[in-house]
Amino acid sequence: GISYGFVFYRPRPATMEAIRKRIAEQPKAFLKLIRDTEKATGIPVTADLYKRPKEAPIPELAPFYAWKGNISCVRNEEVSPALFGPALGERACTLIEQLIPLYDYFNRFKTT
C-alpha cells in the first residue's frame, strides 16, 4: 500500500508547549482549521497522545491538549490497481493542496 499526507514528526516538548499556547490564544481559528482540514480531506487530524493530558483552558481544546506529537493527517491506500497509474499522483496532489493551511500553521513552530 501507500501512505501520503502531513506528519509533524516528533516535535520537541517546547514546540508542543508553544503550539498549546497559540491554540489557547486563538482557539476559534485553530478549531476552524482542524474542522476545515478534516472536511476537505475526509481524514481526521490525529496525534500521539499523553497518558495524562495537559489541562486545557476550555473544554473544546481538551482533545488537542492531549497531543504529544506526531500530528498527522494521512491517507492510506491498500494495494489495488488504483495505485498503478497517473490517478495516484492526482489524488496525492489534491490532498497535499488541501493540507497546505495545516502545514503552514504547524510550520511556524518547527524548530531545528
Side-chain angles (χ1 to χ4, degrees):
I2 190 170
S3 299
Y4 53 95
F6 167 84
V7 177
F8 191 33
Y9 182 70
R10 297 180 63 192
R12 296 175 183 216
T15 302
M16 287 305 299
E17 188 58 38
I19 290 168
R20 284 189 290 276
K21 181 179 178 189
R22 173 65 61 88
I23 290 170
E25 291 169 352
Q26 301 175 352
K28 289 181 183 180
F30 176 76
L31 293 170
K32 182 179 183 324
L33 171 68
I34 298 299
R35 277 192 312 272
D36 290 351
T37 300
E38 292 179 344
K39 183 178 179 182
T41 64
I43 304 167
V45 178
T46 62
D48 294 344
L49 304 175
Y50 285 112
K51 291 181 182 179
R52 289 181 285 167
K54 307 285 184 183
E55 187 176 335
I58 60 174
E60 295 86 358
L61 296 179
F64 310 104
Y65 270 62
W67 285 0
K68 181 178 181 180
N70 295 331
I71 301 164
S72 65
C73 186
V74 174
R75 176 167 291 137
N76 300 299
E77 295 188 31
E78 299 294 323
V79 174
S80 74
L83 288 185
F84 303 98
L88 172 61
E90 294 166 11
R91 289 191 307 276
C93 183
T94 298
L95 179 64
I96 299 305
E97 288 173 349
Q98 294 166 332
L99 292 171
I100 288 172
L102 188 70
Y103 172 84
D104 287 345
Y105 184 88
F106 285 104
N107 196 49
R108 288 183 256 173
F109 301 99
K110 189 172 183 177
T111 58
T112 56

